[in-house]
Amino acid sequence: MLYPNTLEQKLGFDKLRERLKELCISSLGQNYVEKIRFSENFGMVEKLVSQTAEMQRILELGENFPSQNYIDATPYLKRASIEGMLLTQPEFSDLKVSLLTIRLCLRFFESQEADAFPILGEYAKTIKVEKAVTDAIDRIIDDRGQIRDSASPELSRIRKKLISEQAGIRKKLDTILKSARSNGWIGDDVSLTVRNGRMVIPVAAEHKRKLRGFIHDESATGQTVFIEPTDVFESNNEIRELEYEERREINRILLELTAYIRPFVPDLQKAYGFLGLMDFLRAKARLAGEMGAINPPFENRQFIDWREARHPLLHLSFQKQGKKVIPLNIELQEKQRILIVSGPNAGGKSVALKTVGLIQYMFQCGLLVPMQEGSSMGFFQNIFIDIGDEQSLENDLSTYSSHLTNMRHFLSMANKRTLFLIDEFGTGTEPGLGGAIAEAILENLTKSGAFGMINTHYTNLKVLADKTEGLVNGAMRFDGEHLEPLYQLEIGRPGSSFAFEIASKIGLPKAVVARAKEKLGTQQVNFEKLLKELDIERRVFAEKNIEIGIKERKLAKQLADYTALKEKLDNNEKKIVNEAKQKAKNLLADANQLIENTIREIKENKAEKEKTKTVRTTLENFGKNNLKLAEVTEPQPAEDVYEPEGGEITAGSYVRISGQTAIGEVLSVKGKDAEIRIGDLKSTVKLNRLEKVSRKTYRAATGEKGVKTAARGVDMNERMLNFSFNLDMRGKRGEEALGMVDQFMDNAIMLGYDELRIVHGKGDGILRTLVRNHLRGYKQVAGMYDEHADRGGAGVTIVKLK
């Protein structure tokens, strides 16, 4: 069931229908477009969509599928089915070319594998176009759509005689023409022509009496008359009679041919239904190609699980302008089946609502839908919408009354197989009463088990969605810093209307905005403020997640490099040890050989003192030269700079936590507790756990520029792991900010980064000017420009390095 009866117009499906008509080649396909209807039968929807998907695959594969002569010949067949009627020559010509197209379509499916196009292939098997029919038409009608001379012996005789008579009369007229030209009755450029089906000579009006014959016509000015000479009058009559004979014979042939095809009319009508379907499916497949549409998995249950769904009409419009639609990711399941969407006006809520309704509607009409792979389609038997203003003077309905009339229908007819869409829920009356009625209606719709999507600004509905099973909040994302819509749907949290911020941006006096906040009350203002802050924090954490992801990838690469290096070092160590063992083995063998030689010489010389002394010296020199240890210089480890300092710990002191190496700055002291800052982290620590250290120690530990620390090696892996291309210095003083920039640039240049991002905020532009002027002093800087407006604009500087 569909509600209201103007649903197609409200969703914009009528425009898709018109586009489909434009893509059809003939009225056959357009007739099918007119018959498109929303189907409540799961099997029918599955079949219709699968047919379209098969045709899309045929077009994408570039197969030789017919693309012309989709002619609607069904009116001719209706007349041919009547006894005694005949089809004209042009009609048979249309029959010939269109039947050829049908046969080519059938031949295409016959040539494919059995399972290539199962639905269309099976349908094609039920279509019959007898070869005898096409052969019979081809024997009569040639490729130019004319009656062949060989259509009958009598027609052949008549046409031969007609040609002969025409040739004879032309010879006579040529002779008369030359004579008239030589006598000066006609000009040199005058030639024979035809008037009233008879061949005549154009003669100047003053010479018309000089040429005997019948005047058939004269020119508009009366200067020329067209004369049929008496010598060819009988020949022209003969030609005219032959033409009548030819016409009668052609009619007889066509009457006979019509009678021949009459028994085949039922099969031919079915064949033209097939041709119309092919034209219709080609149009649907081409529309799917324009929209980038797919055939997602289809299940016989109620749910929505879409990835990057795009509004079809918006997609087609933006495509012509060279722009892209921001897609929606939306999921509705049993426990979260009604989505309450909030957010500022002009933020895209209504477009998102219509996207859901139009995509579900067009799918159940048999069209493919514009979304990404990984999406799935559910099945709904009812679609109810309440979109736009339905006030009526005739029925004495106000805007709010029309909305309540729709809600009455929703409440009475909604069930588990229903998808309902409500735009600006509860508006049109006093806000307090409207919100209460809207909340009561929503509770009943939730109990019905229906699925739906509702756009609203009411806070009570956002709160209800947060604590009621079956409901879920959603928000159209909004850049709270620059007050610009992002047109992205985020499910799981409510959105703020940003009414005060937008009012301030368009220039409403601050006093008026402040007075409005006072009248609204602190609870509502705080709620809106909290939503705004949550949105900003979400974006900040999203950026942090990107940074963490980059660091994780770097860490994984470094871990892989470390593992490979360790394996290589282990292998090298084994090689070195093996070489050392081999050298030791060789050295031991040489030493043993030398000792044996020494003993032998001592024995042979009977222990002469001088000779023994010489031999012993040789043995000692061998040991000194071959077993001497190489000196290894071990690098001295750098000592940490740690200078304790006496005195009381106060705000501004530098401290170290006992038993740890972390060093920070005291921000404030409250009783026995101190709030300290270590890097970007803030923490509260007991005073008795802190040790006061010198400023030198603090600078050495935090790496501030210009402080000489104990000499130590640079750990590139650690720096790369801890470095972020994004520097946030919002709220920093000028001197402090420049110090951060220097350290940031040093690390970036050392690590070889080619693009950096510095967040300084907009404000009065002082910090931005200071930072950019300072960066111009770096010869490594190739250029600077503002970030994209969606990601910070003038509040962020992108730095390009050489």
Side-chain angles (χ1 to χ4, degrees):
M1 178 189 296
L2 301 176
Y3 181 86
N5 54 12
T6 56
L7 182 142
E8 274 200 12
Q9 291 73 29
K10 286 181 174 293
L11 292 179
F13 187 79
D14 55 331
K15 293 182 176 62
L16 284 180
R17 195 187 291 271
E18 289 302 316
R19 179 57 184 154
L20 277 173
K21 284 185 179 180
E22 294 172 3
L23 293 172
C24 287
I25 300 174
S26 73
S27 58
L28 283 169
Q30 292 174 349
N31 291 337
Y32 274 93
V33 175
E34 288 291 344
K35 296 174 184 176
I36 291 178
R37 295 293 181 271
F38 176 84
S39 176
E40 300 173 11
N41 183 302
F42 177 82
M44 179 58 70
V45 174
E46 192 170 36
K47 177 183 176 182
L48 294 175
V49 175
S50 297
Q51 284 179 341
T52 309
E54 287 185 10
M55 182 57 74
Q56 183 189 40
R57 199 159 67 251
I58 290 172
L59 298 185
E60 286 176 350
L61 292 174
E63 297 286 351
N64 188 23
F65 196 81
S67 60
Q68 57 185 0
N69 292 327
Y70 285 74
I71 300 172
D72 184 7
T74 52
Y76 312 156
L77 295 176
K78 287 180 181 178
R79 199 164 69 254
S81 64
I82 302 172
E83 194 72 34
M85 296 295 289
L86 65 82
L87 300 185
T88 64
Q89 175 184 323
E91 289 171 346
F92 269 116
S93 178
D94 287 347
L95 263 177
K96 177 178 179 176
V97 295
S98 56
L99 285 175
L100 176 61
T101 300
I102 295 173
R103 288 181 63 84
L104 289 174
C105 291
L106 296 177
R107 199 174 301 158
F108 170 82
F109 289 112
E110 289 171 2
S111 66
Q112 302 298 316
E113 296 291 335
D115 57 346
F117 307 103
I119 298 178
L120 296 181
E122 284 299 315
Y123 182 35
K125 291 178 182 178
T126 66
I127 305 302
K128 288 193 303 182
V129 176
E130 296 292 342
K131 190 173 184 298
V133 173
T134 55
D135 288 349
I137 297 175
D138 190 55
R139 279 196 301 270
I140 305 300
I141 307 296
D142 64 16
D143 294 337
R144 295 176 293 112
Q146 302 299 316
I147 303 292
R148 296 182 187 273
D149 293 346
S150 59
S152 74
E154 179 65 14
L155 181 63
S156 177
R157 182 193 66 78
I158 292 171
R159 285 184 173 176
K160 285 179 181 177
K161 189 174 181 182
L162 187 61
I163 291 171
S164 175
E165 289 291 336
Q166 287 174 341
I169 197 173
R170 181 172 287 278
K171 285 182 181 179
K172 291 180 182 179
L173 286 173
D174 283 342
T175 302
I176 296 171
L177 190 67
K178 287 179 181 177
S179 174
R181 187 179 290 123
S182 63
N183 291 327
W185 301 341
I186 60 175
D188 293 338
D189 58 341
V190 173
S191 60
L192 297 175
T193 185
V194 176
R195 283 292 185 275
N196 300 321
R198 304 174 80 90
M199 299 189 73
V200 295
I201 299 174
V203 179
E206 62 267 24
H207 301 300
K208 64 183 179 181
R209 301 293 180 192
K210 297 177 182 178
L211 183 65
R212 294 179 60 192
F214 300 92
I215 298 174
H216 283 275
D217 197 5
E218 68 176 7
S219 65
T221 60
Q223 300 287 330
T224 303
V225 294
F226 298 92
I227 299 176
E228 178 186 6
T230 54
D231 293 347
V232 297
F233 182 73
E234 289 299 327
S235 297
N236 268 331
N237 285 342
E238 182 68 21
I239 289 173
R240 180 61 61 86
E241 288 180 9
L242 288 171
E243 288 174 347
Y244 290 149
E245 286 183 35
E246 179 187 32
R247 192 178 307 164
R248 286 193 298 271
E249 180 62 15
I250 287 175
N251 284 343
R252 187 194 66 78
I253 293 170
L254 294 179
L255 187 65
E256 193 175 276
L257 181 59
T258 305
Y260 179 80
I261 70 168
R262 188 168 292 122
F264 302 98
V265 165
D267 287 341
L268 293 178
Q269 286 177 327
K270 187 176 180 182
Y272 277 96
F274 170 79
L275 185 64
L277 179 62
M278 294 302 102
D279 187 18
F280 174 54
L281 292 178
R282 284 185 79 261
K284 290 204 292 183
R286 290 179 61 193
L287 179 64
E290 291 179 357
M291 297 187 300
I294 64 168
N295 178 22
F298 183 38
E299 300 179 33
N300 191 6
R301 62 185 182 89
Q302 289 66 54
F303 74 98
I304 289 177
D305 186 8
W306 301 345
R307 302 287 176 269
E308 297 193 18
R310 304 176 300 280
H311 190 286
L313 296 174
L314 204 58
H315 178 86
L316 294 175
S317 175
F318 277 23
Q319 199 173 46
K320 295 177 182 177
Q321 302 172 37
K323 298 191 294 185
K324 289 186 177 181
V325 177
I326 298 175
L328 299 177
N329 294 318
I330 179 168
E331 182 175 0
L332 297 181
Q333 299 291 351
E334 181 61 32
K335 293 186 178 179
Q336 292 185 341
R337 58 183 180 275
I338 299 178
L339 177 62
I340 310 299
V341 182
S342 49
N345 289 321
K349 298 192 300 298
S350 295
V351 173
L353 192 80
K354 291 181 179 180
T355 300
V356 173
L358 182 54
I359 286 180
Q360 188 67 45
Y361 185 84
M362 65 188 288
F363 187 82
Q364 291 192 224
C365 286
L367 276 69
L368 305 186
V369 286
M371 56 183 65
Q372 286 295 327
E373 297 290 345
S375 305
S376 298
M377 292 295 298
F379 175 66
F380 295 92
Q381 287 188 335
N382 308 314
I383 297 182
F384 302 155
I385 67 169
D386 179 32
I387 300 174
D389 188 358
E390 292 291 339
Q391 63 177 332
S392 170
L393 294 176
E394 295 177 1
N395 299 325
D396 195 25
L397 286 177
S398 67
T399 300
Y400 188 63
S401 297
S402 70
H403 287 315
L404 289 183
T405 301
N406 292 338
M407 291 306 101
R408 182 185 64 191
H409 180 85
F410 285 20
L411 292 173
S412 62
M413 304 302 294
N415 56 35
K416 292 181 179 180
R417 292 178 172 269
T418 299
L419 174 66
F420 65 85
L421 307 169
I422 305 175
D423 196 22
E424 299 298 343
F425 192 33
T427 57
T429 188
E430 196 276 321
L433 298 176
I437 294 175
E439 186 172 341
I441 292 172
L442 181 55
E443 288 174 345
N444 275 272
L445 288 173
T446 305
K447 292 176 183 177
S448 72
F451 285 67
M453 184 172 173
I454 295 173
N455 292 343
T456 187
H457 290 286
Y458 285 140
T459 302
N460 64 315
L461 299 184
K462 303 176 192 177
V463 175
L464 179 66
D466 190 52
K467 64 182 181 180
T468 305
E469 184 175 351
L471 302 181
V472 60
N473 271 307
M476 297 307 298
R477 289 190 56 200
F478 193 79
D479 187 342
E481 183 178 353
H482 303 98
L483 299 180
E484 295 174 348
L486 301 176
Y487 306 110
Q488 297 172 350
L489 176 62
E490 183 177 356
I491 298 177
R493 68 173 186 85
S496 169
S497 297
F498 289 87
F500 293 129
E501 290 78 8
I502 294 173
S504 299
K505 181 182 180 181
I506 64 175
L508 208 62
K510 292 182 179 180
V512 174
V513 176
R515 183 60 179 155
K517 290 180 180 180
E518 291 176 8
K519 289 182 174 292
L520 183 60
T522 57
Q523 183 178 0
Q524 181 66 26
V525 171
N526 290 338
F527 183 80
E528 292 293 324
K529 181 182 178 183
L530 179 61
L531 288 177
K532 176 186 175 183
E533 291 175 351
L534 285 173
D535 183 69
I536 294 173
E537 287 182 7
R538 190 208 59 75
R539 289 191 297 105
V540 171
F541 281 116
E543 292 179 0
K544 294 293 183 184
N545 284 336
I546 293 173
E547 293 180 13
I548 291 171
I550 294 172
K551 288 183 178 180
E552 285 180 346
R553 288 193 292 273
K554 289 181 180 178
L555 181 60
K557 183 178 183 302
Q558 289 169 1
L559 182 59
D561 293 343
Y562 168 77
T563 303
L565 181 60
K566 184 177 182 302
E567 185 177 350
K568 183 178 179 181
L569 290 174
D570 289 344
N571 290 334
N572 288 340
E573 183 182 8
K574 291 176 183 178
K575 289 180 182 178
I576 292 170
V577 170
N578 289 338
E579 290 175 1
K581 288 180 178 179
Q582 186 61 43
K583 287 182 179 179
K585 192 184 282 188
N586 296 337
L587 187 61
L588 185 60
D590 292 343
N592 288 335
Q593 184 64 40
L594 182 59
I595 292 171
E596 290 176 3
N597 292 339
T598 302
I599 294 171
R600 187 174 63 251
E601 287 187 19
I602 291 174
K603 287 181 178 180
E604 288 176 355
N605 290 286
K606 297 179 180 179
E608 291 182 3
K609 288 184 178 180
E610 287 300 323
K611 187 62 176 177
T612 301
K613 187 177 180 181
T614 302
V615 172
R616 284 179 176 175
T617 302
T618 302
L619 186 60
E620 289 174 0
N621 289 338
F622 175 82
K624 288 179 181 179
N625 293 333
N626 292 282
L627 301 177
K628 185 178 180 181
L629 297 176
E631 293 184 4
V632 178
T633 304
E634 293 287 347
Q636 295 296 321
E639 295 181 358
D640 290 333
V641 176
Y642 174 60
E643 296 180 0
E645 189 173 274
E648 183 182 357
I649 295 176
T650 59
S653 298
Y654 302 106
V655 295
R656 183 173 77 165
I657 300 175
S658 299
Q660 299 182 22
T661 58
I663 294 178
E665 180 183 3
V666 177
L667 300 176
S668 63
V669 177
K670 298 178 182 178
K672 296 181 179 181
D673 297 328
E675 184 182 9
I676 65 172
R677 176 175 62 84
I678 302 175
D680 292 333
L681 300 176
K682 294 180 182 180
S683 180
T684 301
V685 183
K686 295 291 184 182
L687 282 171
N688 55 15
R689 292 187 57 207
L690 300 177
E691 300 175 2
K692 191 173 182 181
V693 299
S694 66
R695 181 176 180 81
K696 180 180 180 182
T697 303
Y698 173 75
R699 288 181 174 177
T702 56
E704 288 189 0
K705 186 175 175 64
V707 179
K708 293 183 179 180
T709 62
R712 62 175 69 191
V714 177
D715 190 339
M716 293 294 289
N717 288 339
E718 183 179 356
R719 286 206 177 188
M720 186 175 290
L721 182 63
N722 293 324
F723 181 76
S724 169
F725 69 93
N726 187 79
L727 176 63
D728 190 344
M729 58 170 59
R730 288 176 289 186
K732 303 295 182 183
R733 296 185 301 275
E735 183 179 353
E736 184 181 7
L738 294 183
M740 293 173 66
V741 170
D742 285 333
Q743 183 180 352
F744 181 59
M745 291 295 294
D746 289 345
N747 289 332
I749 294 168
M750 183 185 299
L751 297 175
Y753 276 75
D754 57 359
E755 183 174 295
L756 305 173
R757 189 173 186 269
I758 300 178
V759 183
H760 41 62
K762 292 182 179 177
D764 297 326
I766 298 173
L767 186 57
R768 176 182 59 185
T769 304
L770 187 66
V771 169
R772 292 191 178 184
N773 288 338
H774 187 67
L775 286 171
R776 290 189 180 95
Y778 281 87
K779 62 181 181 181
Q780 294 87 352
V781 174
M784 294 172 282
Y785 57 86
D786 290 346
E787 173 64 283
H788 189 277
D790 290 345
R791 297 186 290 276
V796 179
T797 294
I798 301 298
V799 183
K800 286 283 188 181
L801 299 182
K802 296 179 181 177

